[in-house]
Amino acid sequence: MMGLRGTASAAAAVMEPEPEVSDEALLVLFANGDPTVAAELTQRLGPRVLGMAMRVLGNRAEAEDVTQEAMIRLWKVAPDWRQGEARVSTWLYRVTMNLCIDIKRRARGGTLDLDAVPEPPDPAASAAETLQNQARADALQDALMTLPERQRQAVVLRHIEELTNPEIAGIMEIGVEAVESLTARGKRALAKALAGRRDELGYHDD
Amino acid sequence: MTDHHDNFDDIEALFREARDARPVVSERLTSAILADAAAQQAHWQAPPLPPQDGSVRRGPLAALVSALGGWVSVGGLVTASCTGLWIGLWVGIAGPEVVMNAAGLGTLSDASAMVSGDDYAAYETFDLATVLAEDMQ
């Protein structure tokens, strides 16, 4: 069942058409004073920023603060944006990651908020499945929070945000080989952390 | 080895679910972000143009400068005035003969000496007061 759902969603992601107007073009319009494009940019980029911040920080309130601050920085950079040099989303991921690192530095040993990863309601899923999905999401977040910070950042960017290794290298300001090493070690550590929870997470049903 | 692969398959499944479950940005946060955007755009707006109904009041100095043709003209006027004052003071202190003996002015006096008697007679008959009186009529 899970495999089917996963395959379907992956196919949908692949088939998702590129937006007609690029993020960059919208940012230029914003800088030119167009009052209508901020909503579109927020709709496109807000969930990605919030999602990454929640995964890295493990705390929704902090992630929301980071999201608002990252978007403020996007608005401010708009007039000075150099077209064609970087993708807006990559730039924003980088700003977000740095804000997350700052928060972690200020408060070492961030706590995991159990409400941090809300599962959107799935009308097709039964109550039991919903609970199990929630348990899986929490289990993933629990496991992510056991990783060293750099491994967690690299794993989130690679496997949840689906960025390329060069993009991640640019965001984390490290080499591509270092990214590969961090994601490989992070994935192994996740597998170890999740070992023994297969029955709990319902994988025996598959 | 099989367990290892199973674990990695489980993780891939968890990643897929996590990708599908992107968080929804709350209305409160969206409103805050859009308010920030609007404030930033307002910050860039040029200052409002002055009213075009002629109600702009200028100070007396600005009015005087404007009447004289602007600051460039006033600058030239000040320079010319200072030069005239300096020459006047110099002549007053040193006497008029110093002016005629000044370097370069000797040639001027020589040139005037070369004016013929006929030219001078014609000049003498030119009465500026008469010409002005005719213009007034």
Side-chain angles (χ1 to χ4, degrees), chain B residues 87-112:
Chain B
I87 290 172
L89 286 173
W90 183 51
V91 169
I93 293 167
E97 66 277 5
V98 173
V99 178
M100 294 312 293
N101 292 335
L105 291 179
T107 56
L108 195 65
S109 60
D110 291 345
S112 64

Side-chain angles (χ1 to χ4, degrees), chain A residues 2 6 9 30-31 33-35 38-39 42 46-47 51 54-55 60 64 68 72 75-76 79 120 136 140 155 159-162 187 190-191 194-195 198 203, chain B residues 3-4 6-26 28-38 40-41 44-45:
Chain A
M2 272 200 56
S9 62
F30 176 80
D34 188 327
T42 304
M54 282 172 59
R55 291 289 175 192
R60 180 161 189 130
E64 289 194 339
Q68 187 175 0
I72 286 175
W75 306 141
K76 284 185 174 175
R136 285 173 180 160
L140 176 61
V155 166
H159 294 291
I160 299 181
E161 301 303 326
E162 294 188 296
K187 207 170 166 185
L190 275 182
L194 289 165
R198 299 190 71 239
Y203 288 116
Chain B
D3 285 345
H4 182 76
D6 284 347
N7 277 344
F8 270 46
D9 289 346
D10 295 347
I11 292 172
E12 290 298 340
L14 286 172
F15 286 149
R16 278 196 299 271
E17 289 189 355
R19 287 196 289 270
D20 292 344
R22 278 197 195 281
V24 176
V25 180
S26 68
R28 182 194 59 79
L29 180 56
T30 302
S31 299
I33 290 170
L34 293 180
D36 291 336
Q40 194 60 42
Q41 280 185 319
W44 296 328
Q45 299 297 320

Side-chain angles (χ1 to χ4, degrees), chain A residues 24-75:
Chain A
E24 190 169 61
L26 288 177
L27 195 60
V28 171
L29 287 172
F30 176 80
N32 289 338
D34 188 327
T36 64
V37 294
E40 174 68 18
L41 279 168
T42 304
Q43 189 180 1
R44 286 187 191 181
L45 301 170
R48 299 168 75 175
V49 172
L50 180 63
M52 192 195 79
M54 282 172 59
R55 291 289 175 192
V56 170
L57 294 170
N59 180 296
R60 180 161 189 130
E62 286 180 341
E64 289 194 339
D65 289 345
V66 162
T67 303
Q68 187 175 0
E69 180 59 32
M71 294 303 288
I72 286 175
R73 295 190 185 191
L74 179 65
W75 306 141

Side-chain angles (χ1 to χ4, degrees), chain B residues 2 12 28 49 54 79-80 86-87 90 92 106 111 116 128 134-135:
Chain B
T2 305
E12 290 298 340
R28 182 194 59 79
L49 292 172
T79 305
W86 181 80
I87 290 172
W90 183 51
S116 69
L128 183 61
E134 287 172 355
D135 283 349

Side-chain angles (χ1 to χ4, degrees), chain A residues 89-141:
Chain A
S89 58
T90 305
W91 181 90
L92 199 55
Y93 275 127
R94 183 172 178 169
V95 168
T96 306
M97 186 62 81
N98 287 335
L99 290 169
C100 290
I101 290 169
D102 286 346
I103 283 185
K104 284 292 185 187
R105 278 189 189 140
R106 281 202 299 269
R108 286 283 173 205
T111 56
L112 173 63
D113 181 354
L114 291 179
D115 296 327
V117 191
E119 193 80 11
D122 181 355
S126 69
E129 283 176 333
T130 303
L131 281 174
Q132 200 155 68
N133 286 343
Q134 181 67 49
R136 285 173 180 160
D138 291 345
L140 176 61
Q141 189 63 39

